[in-house]
Amino acid sequence: MVATEDLLPAVADNALFEQIQTMGHESVVFCSDPDTGLKAIIGIHSTVLGPALGGLRFWHYERDADAVTDVLRLARGMSLKNSAAGLGLGGGKAVIIGDPAKIKSPALLRRFGEFVEGQAGRYITAEDVGTTTADITYIREKTKHATGIPEEMGGSGDPSPFTAMGVYLSMKASAKHVYGTDSLQGRTVALQGAGHVGTYLAESLQKEGAKLIISDYFADRAEKLAKHVGGTVVGTNEIYDVAADIYAPCALGATLNTDTIARLRVAIVCGAANNQLADEALHGQMIKDRGILYAPDFVINAGGVINVYQEILGYDRAKATQKVETLYPTLLNLYAQAEAAGITTHQAALQMAMDRIQKAKAAKA
Ligand code: NAD
């Protein structure tokens, strides 16, 4: 993972390519159009398993270097996620720099679509933070390499219910590994983030009789969800200290760090957020050493991309659901492998994802 502070010296020291190659990216494309205000970067990490698919993030980055860092990190994450899910997809991601509330326009999105089209199918875009299915329809006017279009247009629609389903099944598999039973009845889940995924996940947990402790940056969202599914609300900092069985990070990345891992009073971490480990190696090990089972984020939050992939193949809700259900046995296998090898669950997931890419690369050579 590249931190911003690592990237700036890399540019200054003329070592940007070294950085990109260390992370294994194939190409990084800068897209500019002053007329519409478009400043975008398309990161294509790998096309070994298929076209690089990953969402379009529209974000007000303070510095251009932050946007480069984000796109490199996220594109690599998509390679791992798509590989671990067994999809015929490589990994990529795009970012548009700017405040979407201020600069997003149909013309800017169409122009971005032209840049995606220019990649000739090596990159397929989709929605992400700051973009919506409606935005994808403008991009689609210029390229067919855009997925996640609304259901009423024959697309796969909102990926969140599928992501939540995958996380829920992964929680059950994790409970099976830790407690010997996958029932979540009576278990307490500390849910961070009452957004799209968090809400669908909470509904499934409530149906199964789990107890919920909910936190959201916007307290009213947490209160609303607690009213809807039952449960108690705690502050954004308190969520790390509550006694629970499972901590489910469904808000931001990097919430597992030296401070929070020491505070957790749970047996399992299993949530939808991307890049949960602030430092993959260090904090993956710290969680293991504390005897907490960590469900690797990029494996268990693949439900959304599995659903989007089905859209590329020809949308079929039942097939997408079946594929999401395979996360349960995949995760149990992964836990067994990690234990047998004495490595962290994150390392085991990384190995699984990278092995598939390396084998495909070798077969092509
Ligand atoms: P969302 O924006 O709908 O919800 C996130 C929620 O987290 C918001 O309600 C926000 O207020 C809250 N939040 C932000 N900072 C917080 C903090 N410090 N403490 C507590 N709550 C905080 O997003 P989402 O679509 O539900 O996605 C949740 C996470 O899962 C994100 O990290 C996303 O990248 C990841 N993810 C989502 C999908 C998907 O299909 N939506 C797929 C894969 C991964």
Side-chain angles (χ1 to χ4, degrees), residues 197-209:
V197 179
T199 298
Y200 287 112
L201 178 63
E203 286 172 351
S204 298
L205 291 169
Q206 182 233 9
K207 272 190 204 131
E208 192 163 340

Side-chain angles (χ1 to χ4, degrees), residues 7-347:
L7 190 70
L8 288 172
V11 179
D13 296 350
N14 203 21
L16 183 59
F17 270 99
E18 192 184 319
Q19 193 83 54
I20 289 170
Q21 286 174 354
T22 304
M23 289 181 78
H25 287 78
E26 291 177 12
S27 54
V28 184
V29 184
F30 287 80
C31 317
S32 165
D33 183 48
D35 290 347
T36 57
L38 178 73
K39 287 193 271 178
I41 310 170
I42 301 173
I44 300 181
H45 179 261
S46 172
T47 55
V48 172
L49 296 172
L53 182 138
L56 166 63
R57 184 161 292 193
F58 207 138
W59 193 253
H60 184 55
Y61 294 97
E62 261 181 46
R63 297 177 301 181
D64 293 352
D66 296 338
V68 179
T69 299
D70 214 25
V71 81
L72 292 181
R73 201 172 46 86
L74 292 166
R76 171 181 173 268
M78 287 309 299
S79 285
L80 298 175
K81 186 184 302 200
N82 294 337
S83 172
L87 307 179
L89 293 172
K93 200 91 180 184
V95 297
I96 294 182
I97 300 170
D99 183 347
K102 290 187 184 146
I103 68 159
K104 196 195 279 182
S105 69
L108 178 144
L109 292 165
R110 287 189 195 105
R111 190 74 186 99
F112 175 73
E114 287 172 356
F115 282 106
V116 173
E117 182 64 13
Q119 298 309 303
R122 291 182 68 241
Y123 171 66
I124 303 176
T125 200
E127 67 171 291
D128 192 67
V129 176
T131 53
T132 63
T133 51
D135 297 338
I136 299 298
T137 60
Y138 291 117
I139 296 169
R140 276 284 280 219
E141 288 177 23
K142 298 294 178 183
T143 181
K144 62 179 186 303
H145 305 299
T147 54
I149 54 173
E151 270 180 294
E152 56 275 18
M153 291 175 67
S156 59
D158 179 9
S160 306
F162 288 85
T163 304
M165 187 201 310
V167 173
Y168 168 68
L169 293 172
S170 300
M171 246 181 218
K172 289 180 76 65
S174 303
K176 175 92 181 152
H177 185 79
V178 170
Y179 304 116
T181 166
D182 73 4
S183 170
L184 297 173
Q185 190 176 18
R187 299 271 174 223
T188 302
V189 179
L191 175 67
Q192 181 181 45
H196 289 98
V197 179
T199 298
Y200 287 112
L201 178 63
E203 286 172 351
S204 298
L205 291 169
Q206 182 233 9
K207 272 190 204 131
E208 192 163 340
K211 294 178 213 146
L212 284 150
I213 301 172
I214 304 168
S215 159
D216 196 284
Y217 180 74
F218 296 104
D220 57 326
R221 283 193 197 168
E223 297 283 356
K224 193 174 157 209
L225 183 59
K227 229 180 223 165
H228 175 50
V229 295
T232 52
V233 172
V234 295
T236 50
N237 193 31
E238 275 171 86
I239 195 80
Y240 304 109
D241 301 313
V242 296
D245 297 291
I246 301 166
Y247 163 54
C250 295
L252 303 171
T255 62
L256 296 169
N257 54 46
T258 306
D259 168 48
T260 58
I261 293 170
R263 289 160 60 188
L264 287 178
R265 294 160 67 200
V266 297
I268 295 166
V269 173
C270 181
N274 284 310
N275 303 314
Q276 292 169 26
L277 299 166
D279 180 312
E280 293 179 19
L282 175 70
H283 297 122
Q285 190 62 45
M286 263 187 82
I287 293 190
K288 182 173 183 284
D289 292 345
R290 279 222 49 213
I292 298 171
L293 181 69
Y294 170 67
D297 48 13
F298 65 82
V299 176
I300 67 163
N301 70 12
V305 76
I306 290 171
N307 193 48
V308 160
Y309 182 56
Q310 196 56 51
E311 180 178 318
I312 297 169
L313 300 177
Y315 193 57
D316 182 329
R317 203 179 175 87
K319 279 190 185 158
T321 303
Q322 269 173 18
K323 181 83 181 142
V324 175
E325 284 168 355
T326 64
L327 288 176
Y328 183 111
T330 298
L331 199 57
L332 284 180
N333 278 336
L334 200 73
Y335 289 152
Q337 278 170 23
E339 264 184 16
I343 57 176
T344 69
T345 53
H346 178 76
Q347 281 171 317

